[in-house]
Amino acid sequence: MYALTFGGKEMIEYSNVSDPQLLQPTDAIVKITMAGICGSDLHVYHGRETGLDHGTVMGHEFTGIVEEAGRDVRKFKKGTRVLSPFTTSCGECFYCRIGLTCRCEKGNLFGWVEKGHGLHGAQSQYIRVPMADSTLLPLSNDLSERKGLLLGDVFSTGYFCADNAGIKPSSVYAVIGCGPVGLMTVIAAKHLGASTLFAIDTIPERLAMAKNFGAVPLNATLVNVKEEILNNTHGRGADGVMEVVGSSATLKLAIDLLRPGGTISSVGVHTAKHFSFSPGEAYDKNLIYKSGRCPAHYYAEKLLRTEVPQRYAIEDIITHQFSLQQGAKAYEVFDKKLDNCIKAVLMTS
Ligand SMILES: [Zn+2]
Ligand SMILES: [Zn+2]
């Protein structure tokens, strides 16, 4: 089969690799129909994450059709349309039982093979999914591939981020960063009842989309964001700030915008060694800080039981579509935000 493999820093290769095989009776092989390129793939792409084996199939966002199910797989059979969270989960361990499926004791991240161990990814024609019954979710016919793909990662992550901010109707919130996850956070925060929601970024097209989703856009290159938020909160600051970027500067901005007793909900993947604010600043703000990887299986399953994915045009963030063969180009366009790219997907067959 063909797949996009990691060839080293900024090298994505369209390669002929061996087909995945069932290794356990609980595995399934899924024929991929759509795969996403995610902001976290760029950490690998730029060589900021070390340890990934060359030749690893990239990617962790996908929808597809079950091609082959192991003999112990009960919920899925050949031909079932499925979506998948970006990690596998067993459904039985302590963490799975409390809904923290991203910390499953047996879980693995798709698209991460290190020293020969781990799972290949989804930017590929087929993928092996371990613990298929508790990892995959059925994608019903009234949901598009695009919605299914976003439920497996960025929409669930945005929803988790808004959920952690403890949204209350009359309060004032800010989302820092209007990339794919930030825009999903805007939709989720509005859905959860945020009446006043500021969306902060520097790219006009992304701010325009945030406005479409119900936020008040603030362009950080044109206005003093802190002043704007203080002016709208009787000088107190926001009740909650959702930080989705993962940089030291955005985390510092988050605490600067927050009122005492407010919540920072951070889902940006941080690589800094230390916080960009001090324990003293946290104390003085009576800070509530929530962070971490989204338990995407838990959230996707929960959202599938509602009509939330149907109700909102979450798929509007997918601005670009490429074939698998155009993978290197797709990474470049997504990485450099060429042609106002927000989110790119690959059609794999
Ligand atoms: Zn992702
Ligand atoms: Zn588990």
Side-chain angles (χ1 to χ4, degrees), residues 105-120:
E105 289 167 13
K106 295 179 186 166
N108 271 305
L109 174 67
F110 287 110
W112 193 270
V113 178
E114 192 168 347
K115 298 194 178 89
H117 296 284
L119 297 178
H120 282 292

Side-chain angles (χ1 to χ4, degrees), residues 37-41 60-61 86 153-154 343:
I37 304 181
C38 182
S40 52
D41 294 331
H60 56 260
E61 299 180 354
F86 53 88
D153 187 350
V154 296
K343 177 88 177 164

